[in-house]
Amino acid sequence: MDELVALCKRRGFVFQSSEIYNGLAGFFDFGPLGAEMKKNIKDKWWQDVVRRRDDIVGLDSSIISSPKVWEASGHVAGFSDPMVDCKETKHRFRADQLFFSKLKLKATGEVIGAVCVQESPSMEKDAKAQAKKFMKANKLEGEIEEFDFKDLTKATADDLAIIPSPMSGTPGTLTPPRDFNLISKLLLGQQLVGADSTAYLRPETAQGIFTNFKNVQQTARIKLPFGIAQIGKAFRNEITPRNFIFRSREFEQMEVEYFFSDDDEEWKTEHQKWIDFSWDWLKSVGLREELMALEVHEQSELAHYARACTDITFRFPFGQSELQGIAARGCYDLNQHQEASGKSMEYMDESNKKFLPHVIEPSLGVDRLFLALLVSAYHKEEVEGETRTLLKFHPSIAPIKVAVLPLMKNKENIVELARGLYQNLSYRHNCFWDVSGAIGRRYRRMDEAGTPFCVTVDFQSLEDETITIRNRDTMDQIRMPITEVAAYIDKEVNGY
C-alpha cells in the first residue's frame, strides 16, 4: 500500500489536502492524472448506466437540502457509528474496528489479561506481539490459548477493565462504546439569536433522488420499472478516516435508485439483475475478478427496513472490504418522505392502482473504485535487468490515452509532423506531448502513468507518413499510416 500511495503522490494522482499546513485527516485532492481518471470513471459509468439504457434517467440534486429531509430519512437521529476514546492518549477509535481477545493460559484456562488490536490483515501478528510483551512485562510464563477475537461493541464492563488501549497499552483506559453521529452540520444565512439555521452536508446522494421521485417520473414521462441515477459528493464525519482514500470524510458516490412495483416477489429478480450487472460492469472497467467477491448480509445485519443487501467486496492491500452495495430497500424512503411532507409519493399504474414503488439501490463510491482500479492495475516486472513499474488501466479509464513522442526534438520536420498528430488526437482524447530524454525513458514514464499507447514519429515517418504505436502492456510496436491512428485509438478506448 505504501508503494501505491507514493506513486499517487509522485505521478500526480492524489495529494493530501492542505499538505502545506500538515494536511487535514480524511480529505484528499486529486492531481492532474487523478482528476482525469476520476472524470473517466464517472463518464464511463454514466455512459453505461444512464445513456445506454432506456429505463434510467439522470439527476443532479443539491448537496444541501432542507433539514427536514434528513430528519425524515432518520439520519439526524440515527446515523452513527460506535466510538470509544482512550482516556490516556485521547485517541478515538471506531469500536467495531477494534478487536479484543482474552489471554487464557492453556494449562489452567485462567484469564491473565487481554489484547486489543485495530482491524487489519496483520491482526493475528499484532496480537501475538502484544501478548508476548504483556507476558514479559508481568513476568508470566506458559502457553496461551488461541485468540478469540470480538469487536469492542461486544465487550462487557468487566472486559473493558482488562482490555488495553492499542495506543497506550494500559488496561482499563478505553471508554465504553457510545454513538457518534456522522452527519456534518453547518449554519446557513444570517445567524439570528434564537433562530435555528442548522443545515447538513448530505451524508448520501440517495435522499435527493427520493425527494425528487415524482418530479422526475412526471417530467421524464417514464413508467415502472425505471431508475434515477446520480453522481455527487457526500460527507461523513468519520471517527477514524483511514486506508488512504478508502475511508474519507468527503467522497463521491455513483448511485441508482431503481423503482418497480410493490409485488412481493419482483424485488428478488430485480436485486439479482443489479448484482449481475454491477459485477460485470466492474470487470469491464478493469477490476481483476480474482480480487472480487460477493458478501450477502445476514438478516440480523440488515437495517430494519431492508429486505436484502449484497456487497461486492474487493481485496485491497489492507484486506477484503466493501466496494459496492446492492440493497433492496422496500418502500421505506418514499414512505418516510410522504409521511413527513404530507405530499403523496405514490405511483399510479395503467390500471389506476396507486402504490409506493419498491426500490433496489446499487451504490458505488467513486473514490473506492479509483483505489480498486489502482490496485488492479499496479504491476512490477523485470525487463532487461531493470524493474518496470506500470499501471495496466483499461484504455477507457487511463488518465492519458496516448503520448506523442517525436524521436528527436532538434529535428524540426519530425517535431512539426508529431505536433500536428498530437493536436489532431487532442480533439478526441487526453494526450501527452513529451520530447525530453531518450525514447526508452519516455516510455517508462508513460508506463508508470498508465498510458496505454505511445506514438513515435521518426525518420521513416517523413518518408512514408507512417508512425509506430507501442502497447503499454506487451511493449509490442506496430507501424501504421498516420491517417489511421485516430480511428485505431478511438476503437481501443471506446470499443467501437
Side-chain angles (χ1 to χ4, degrees), residues 404 417-429 431 482-487 490:
V404 178
L417 183 61
R419 194 71 189 177
L421 176 60
Y422 169 78
Q423 290 171 344
N424 181 38
L425 292 174
S426 293
Y427 283 111
R428 294 172 167 85
H429 306 289
C431 305
I482 199 167
T483 54
E484 296 178 10
V485 175
D490 283 350

Side-chain angles (χ1 to χ4, degrees), residues 168-180:
S168 68
T170 307
T173 55
L174 292 176
T175 63
R178 63 194 188 279
D179 287 338
F180 178 84

